[in-house]
Amino acid sequence: MDIKIENLTKKYGYQKAVDNISFNVKTGEIVGFLGPNGAGKTTTMKIITNYLNCEEGEITIGGKSIKTNAEEIKKHIGYLPESNPLYNDMPVIDYLEFCAALQGIEDKFIPGRVREMVKVCGLNSEKHKKIGELSKGYRQRVGLAQAMIHDPEILILDEPTTGLDPNQIVEIRRLIRELGKEKTVILSTHILSEVEATCDRILIINNGAIVADGTAESLRKKAKGNEVLSVRIEDGDADTIYKTLKAISTIDSVDFTDRSKNRFEIQSSVGSSSKREIFNVCVKNGWVLTEMTPSETKLEDIFRELTLN
Amino acid sequence: MKSILIITRRELNSFFDSLIAYIILALLLGFTGFLTWIRGFGNSDVFMLNQATLGQFIGVAYWTLFFIIPALTMRLIAEEKKTGTIELLLTKAISDRQVVIGKFLSTLLLICIALLLTLPYVITIASIGNLDLGEVICGYLGLILMSATYISIGLYASSITSNQIVAFLATLFIGLFFHIIFDLLKGAATGFIGDFFSMLSLSTHFESIARGVVDSKDIIYFLSIIILGLFLTEVSLSKRKISG
């Protein structure tokens, strides 16, 4: 099911939480929401799940407007809210059965679904405990289990991996990627490496507006147009190498990172690559090129650049 | 309809899991039992009166339920608002109205179970004298209608706050008007105003049903407060959507 959001605006009083946001999410796509606190990620998710209304704008899911088909559409959405609220007085199994029944699963299929979710989310050892007795990580797993219990076509996950141990994080990310092949997934997170590891597409939201939209790759390209290489050249005099490198036409700047070890950081001018030229220069002068690494712009830097202003 | 029953079942289980249900049952049976059989107010227990009547029991239940119901309804929505589970519940494939009705029915069902457990009193009284069956049925009908009314008010009070104590006190406060204040005002005023308060007073309508006269006027009175309460609860839940 595709999600189509057009000109969505949501105000809390005079404050605009979401300001004229538009984007599409296609089936089989995992979209990651990134943004500082209070950027409007959670509000957008709450509107998609029909917990909040959108005053302005239109959301269509699978070709149907959520304003007129709320009950129908809610069946196809699995939602994990930010704070992961759960009924503490209910045993895990009972809670999952309750959620399955509410989502309209036929009675005869409920035990099977619950069993599967217990297996998928690794809840087997805790399934008879009351939710209130569980640790944070297990609560998070129960939250994920209830979101996926009815095999929804759309998954909205607000910070799905908080409170999980590293093994479980890897496991859940793998699960989300698996699900994302045939379902539509929107997740929000603060962990930038998580977005890179799981999402096909990244939306960076700041002050209620989308400031970047694309794959991690394309965001990098956009953030920094020029190539940066860290290079180590041996068997030559550092200053001579420095001057020779500087003379190459495509190179913008050369800096020493470690003079004694002949390490340099080389920035090419916008839109050009100087890897070949550096290699050729080394060959010509009989130097040995022992290291050449393109240094990638970190997602953290892009994030800071876009959201700090 | 199925979704409503799922909610009702969960809430009812929750009452019994958290001991609330047992405490409520013990309180209701204890109070009514003590005051009906052992020592009624002003020596009005069954043996002193020397009459096979349920009047004493109905009167005690009338007041006991008035205090018990706010304690049952206070957590229904306020607690979910506090813990945030309301968000999870309302984003499931269920409408706000179904949630409200489901929660309403769960509490009403608990009260009905409690009243069912008082049937031994009826059987005992019937065995020692000539009990009017019509009076019994009407008395219970009155108690159920009255309970439903206060549950509906309590549900509304629970939906406007995330603090259970506030919900409890608000229910008692609103309930007090229907339970006794309108009745007192009725006595203080005459003519049109007196009639007006008499019409608003829950006790007037309750007594009329408990006496054995089931008038459509009384039924409409109870039903309209119940429906108004449920409607306001739904509105209050939906208010989150347009929060400004």
Side-chain angles (χ1 to χ4, degrees):
Chain A
M1 273 189 162
D2 296 0
I3 302 174
K4 199 168 164 193
I5 292 170
E6 284 169 86
N7 307 102
L8 182 69
T9 299
K10 173 82 187 172
K11 286 181 211 146
Y12 291 123
Y14 292 107
Q15 194 189 7
K16 275 186 181 171
V18 175
D19 190 3
N20 204 16
I21 280 184
S22 302
F23 63 90
N24 293 329
V25 187
K26 292 194 289 288
T27 310
E29 199 172 27
I30 306 176
V31 171
F33 271 9
L34 272 181
N37 296 328
K41 297 171 300 219
T42 299
T43 305
T44 310
M45 290 183 156
K46 281 183 177 172
I47 295 171
I48 298 173
T49 53
N50 209 48
Y51 182 67
L52 297 177
N53 260 12
C54 55
E55 290 107 40
E56 293 161 47
E58 184 66 48
I59 299 180
T60 43
I61 292 177
K64 286 177 185 158
S65 164
I66 64 164
K67 280 180 184 159
T68 47
N69 296 288
E71 304 309 315
E72 157 81 32
I73 288 171
K74 277 203 258 180
K75 270 192 188 146
H76 301 294
I77 297 181
Y79 178 42
L80 172 68
E82 192 180 16
S83 52
N84 190 22
L86 298 165
Y87 294 120
N88 289 331
D89 57 343
M90 277 179 112
V92 174
I93 293 268
D94 290 8
Y95 179 65
L96 292 179
E97 280 171 356
F98 167 70
C99 289
L102 264 191
Q103 294 288 25
I105 298 179
E106 280 180 56
D107 290 347
K108 58 180 174 183
F109 296 127
I110 290 178
R113 285 301 303 167
V114 170
R115 228 174 294 133
E116 196 182 332
M117 281 301 115
V118 165
K119 202 176 117 211
V120 165
C121 297
L123 284 164
N124 203 31
S125 57
E126 312 283 317
K127 63 186 171 193
H128 295 297
K129 280 192 189 167
K130 284 192 174 176
I131 292 172
E133 297 165 5
L134 299 181
S135 69
K136 191 159 187 279
Y138 275 107
R139 284 178 62 91
Q140 195 69 17
R141 295 186 206 187
V142 176
L144 278 167
Q146 64 80 24
M148 298 188 296
I149 188 108
H150 56 301
D151 200 18
E153 289 175 64
I154 296 169
L155 268 176
I156 314 271
L157 309 170
D158 208 347
E159 302 187 10
T161 53
T162 43
L164 299 177
D165 63 58
N167 296 333
Q168 192 67 27
I169 288 179
V170 171
E171 193 66 18
I172 292 296
R173 283 183 190 161
R174 196 187 52 76
L175 180 68
I176 292 173
R177 265 203 309 275
E178 195 66 33
L179 289 168
K181 281 179 192 157
E182 47 204 284
K183 298 184 195 308
T184 318
V185 182
I186 298 181
L187 64 90
S188 82
T189 175
H190 289 300
I191 310 163
L192 295 158
S193 59
E194 177 160 297
V195 195
E196 270 199 289
T198 40
C199 301
D200 304 322
R201 206 171 121 206
I202 301 173
L203 284 174
I204 300 183
I205 301 181
N206 190 32
N207 291 330
I210 295 179
V211 290
D213 179 357
T215 58
E217 204 99 316
S218 72
L219 287 187
R220 279 211 184 85
K221 229 173 243 167
K222 219 195 268 172
K224 227 166 209 174
N226 37 4
E227 180 189 75
V228 179
L229 300 168
S230 67
V231 170
R232 184 173 179 193
I233 298 173
E234 288 176 37
D235 295 354
D237 173 53
D239 290 316
T240 329
I241 297 170
Y242 179 81
K243 276 177 200 147
T244 322
L245 287 175
K246 264 230 131 157
I248 297 173
S249 60
T250 54
I251 291 183
D252 204 31
S253 70
V254 182
D255 285 313
F256 281 107
T257 46
D258 190 340
R259 202 187 172 103
S260 59
K261 285 183 181 160
N262 287 9
R263 283 179 193 272
F264 306 90
E265 191 183 76
I266 302 172
Q267 262 201 46
S268 310
S269 44
V270 178
S272 58
S273 171
S274 18
K275 288 175 197 151
R276 283 166 182 279
E277 278 77 3
I278 295 169
F279 178 75
N280 289 337
V281 161
C282 291
V283 172
K284 210 163 71 188
N285 293 299
W287 297 330
V288 182
L289 185 60
T290 51
E291 225 182 282
M292 173 142 74
T293 334
S295 68
E296 290 195 317
T297 325
K298 283 196 204 117
L299 211 50
E300 275 84 350
D301 298 331
I302 304 170
F303 182 77
R304 283 175 63 82
E305 198 175 306
L306 287 166
T307 55
L308 273 181
N309 39 30
Chain B
M1 192 60 206
K2 199 174 161 237
S3 313
I4 295 176
L5 292 180
I6 296 166
I7 298 280
T8 306
R9 204 175 64 198
R10 193 204 91 77
E11 290 296 337
L12 205 57
N13 282 339
S14 162
F15 278 133
F16 281 99
D17 284 345
S18 63
L19 291 180
I20 297 177
Y22 301 103
I23 295 170
I24 294 302
L25 292 179
L27 271 178
L28 184 72
L29 293 178
F31 263 120
T32 52
F34 182 81
L35 292 169
T36 308
W37 299 103
I38 300 173
R39 177 89 210 200
F41 288 122
N43 285 341
S44 59
D45 57 78
V46 171
F47 300 114
M48 277 296 181
L49 281 177
N50 210 12
Q51 262 179 352
T53 170
L54 264 188
Q56 176 65 16
F57 162 73
I58 300 283
V60 174
Y62 177 70
W63 275 97
T64 315
L65 286 170
F66 172 69
F67 285 107
I68 280 176
I69 286 170
L72 288 173
T73 55
M74 66 178 190
R75 53 172 279 283
L76 285 177
I77 294 173
E79 190 184 31
E80 296 223 26
K81 279 177 121 174
K82 185 146 211 158
T83 58
T85 46
I86 193 82
E87 184 177 344
L88 212 50
L89 189 59
L90 295 178
T91 49
K92 300 267 183 239
I94 182 168
S95 67
D96 295 5
R97 179 170 300 167
Q98 287 169 323
V99 170
V100 172
I101 296 175
K103 283 174 181 284
F104 169 79
L105 287 180
S106 71
T107 319
L108 188 60
L109 219 59
L110 179 63
I111 295 293
C112 288
I113 293 170
L115 289 176
L116 214 62
L117 292 177
T118 63
L119 280 182
Y121 300 172
V122 179
I123 295 165
T124 314
I125 294 178
S127 69
I128 55 178
N130 203 3
L131 189 65
D132 181 2
L133 191 66
E135 187 203 330
V136 174
I137 292 172
C138 288
Y140 274 94
L141 178 70
L143 286 179
I144 289 171
L145 283 172
M146 178 206 99
S147 303
T149 307
Y150 286 134
I151 291 168
S152 164
I153 292 171
L155 205 55
Y156 172 64
S158 182
S159 76
I160 55 174
T161 173
S162 57
N163 186 327
Q164 296 189 32
I165 305 294
V166 172
F168 176 80
L169 293 175
T171 313
L172 271 189
F173 182 71
I174 302 171
L176 213 55
F177 279 90
F178 290 105
H179 212 67
I180 191 158
I181 292 179
F182 288 142
D183 199 40
L184 294 175
L185 287 171
K186 175 187 81 179
T190 50
F192 167 72
I193 298 173
D195 288 346
F196 178 69
F197 284 125
S198 159
M199 189 189 79
L200 280 180
S201 166
L202 191 141
S203 52
T204 314
H205 297 277
F206 177 77
E207 273 157 24
S208 131
I209 289 181
R211 248 196 336 262
V213 189
V214 183
D215 194 338
S216 60
K217 198 173 68 191
D218 302 322
I219 304 285
I220 289 169
Y221 170 83
F222 283 113
L223 286 182
S224 42
I225 299 183
I226 293 166
I227 290 167
L228 182 70
L230 294 179
F231 173 72
L232 287 177
T233 312
E234 193 192 339
V235 169
S236 151
L237 270 188
S238 312
K239 229 169 63 186
R240 70 174 192 276
K241 291 189 161 186
I242 49 158
S243 65

